Amino acid sequence: SQQGEEDPQALSIQEGENATMNCSYKTSINNLQWYRQNSGRGLVHLILIRSNEREKHSGRLRVTLDTSKKSSSLLITASRAADTASYFCATEYNQGGKLIFGQGTELSVKP
Amino acid sequence: DAGVTQSPTHLIKTRGQQVTLRCSPKSGHDTVSWYQQALGQGPQFIFQYYEEEERQRGNFPDRFSGHQFPNYSSELNVNALLLGDSALYLCASSLNGKEEQYFGPGTRLTVT
């Protein structure tokens, strides 16, 4: 079974708009990571946030983590058509251990 | 510096057959994890290898087995294939104890 649930399952926006994806999980974690997947190929690591962190930024990405609510959000600002992909959150209990993925959000950015 | 590589890219097998998938980790990495991703789902952890030993295992039957070689490369073997084994199989490598895992492009297995 999968750890997390992602919301929404699908998101369609126009270029230039912001995209927000949410992830919830069930038990305590060491860290939470976000990945991107294009067309069912390999996963690309986007950003990692540790359980003692609340917010991280990387370029146009902003991730928040609320351990009291067991939830995280990924914000992509000023989206581009090239951002069209599936986005997955993954939780890790033990550093370097297995990742437990959510079911993903399919993002479509229209030019 | 080569990233994680997997072979083959695509594979078609018949029910009941056996399959071996291969993974070469990113240079400098010593830990390999395997994931199964069914269509429309997130990846599910199969197992992780470190120092040629299976260190962690997910909820997969014994038909799924693996191996890690001294050069850290790894194989995933699946016996008695079922239609439900059709999926994208992803390999990820990391440095022991480090959080970030690097994924390969995957092997798409179709069982007919």
Side-chain angles (χ1 to χ4, degrees):
Chain A
S1 63
Q2 291 178 291
Q3 157 80 308
E5 293 184 2
E6 294 185 58
D7 168 52
Q9 290 188 350
L11 180 62
S12 182
I13 59 175
Q14 296 294 131
E15 252 188 341
E17 295 181 336
N18 295 340
T20 299
M21 289 159 263
N22 303 297
C23 167
S24 61
Y25 57 92
K26 297 174 184 173
T27 58
S28 297
I29 58 173
N30 177 278
N31 64 75
L32 185 145
Q33 304 178 35
W34 286 89
Y35 287 84
R36 185 185 74 222
Q37 185 176 45
N38 290 87
S39 302
R41 299 304 291 170
L43 296 164
V44 175
H45 185 270
L46 295 176
I47 196 165
L48 178 152
I49 186 165
R50 295 183 176 86
S51 59
N52 61 352
E53 298 174 314
R54 292 296 167 259
E55 187 171 312
K56 276 188 98 166
H57 296 256
S58 177
R60 295 183 295 113
L61 305 180
R62 172 179 171 254
V63 168
T64 60
L65 179 65
D66 186 334
T67 53
S68 66
K69 295 181 179 177
K70 294 186 172 58
S71 67
S72 174
S73 67
L74 171 68
L75 168 67
I76 304 174
T77 60
S79 63
R80 305 167 182 167
D83 294 328
T84 295
S86 293
Y87 291 81
F88 294 91
C89 68
T91 51
E92 191 173 58
Y93 299 114
N94 303 309
Q95 189 168 318
K98 69 179 181 181
L99 293 172
I100 301 180
F101 286 84
Q103 292 195 326
T105 293
E106 194 173 329
L107 173 65
S108 175
V109 182
K110 301 184 188 314
Chain B
D1 177 23
V4 180
T5 60
Q6 292 186 245
S7 63
T9 305
H10 294 91
L11 202 52
I12 299 175
K13 290 286 189 177
T14 304
R15 270 181 302 175
Q17 286 188 318
Q18 179 264 344
V19 69
T20 297
L21 310 181
R22 295 175 177 83
C23 171
S24 291
K26 182 178 168 63
S27 178
H29 285 182
D30 56 9
T31 303
V32 173
S33 302
W34 287 92
Y35 294 82
Q36 179 197 65
Q37 186 179 21
L39 198 62
Q41 303 291 316
Q44 291 204 40
F45 176 79
I46 303 175
F47 40 53
Q48 183 182 80
Y49 276 84
Y50 171 67
E51 290 190 337
E52 302 179 51
E53 298 278 339
E54 183 183 288
R55 181 161 65 178
Q56 270 189 301
R57 188 178 182 92
N59 189 25
F60 279 80
D62 292 344
R63 299 186 297 109
F64 290 77
S65 63
H67 189 78
Q68 186 180 34
F69 300 93
N71 67 353
Y72 307 119
S73 67
S74 177
E75 287 181 349
L76 164 65
N77 301 294
V78 187
N79 294 322
L81 284 166
L82 304 173
L83 295 179
D85 295 332
S86 294
L88 180 68
Y89 288 85
L90 295 162
C91 167
S93 75
S94 57
L95 190 56
N96 182 41
K98 299 298 183 184
E99 297 149 322
E100 190 168 333
Q101 299 188 27
Y102 291 78
F103 282 81
T107 293
R108 185 161 297 283
L109 172 65
T110 302
V111 182
T112 62

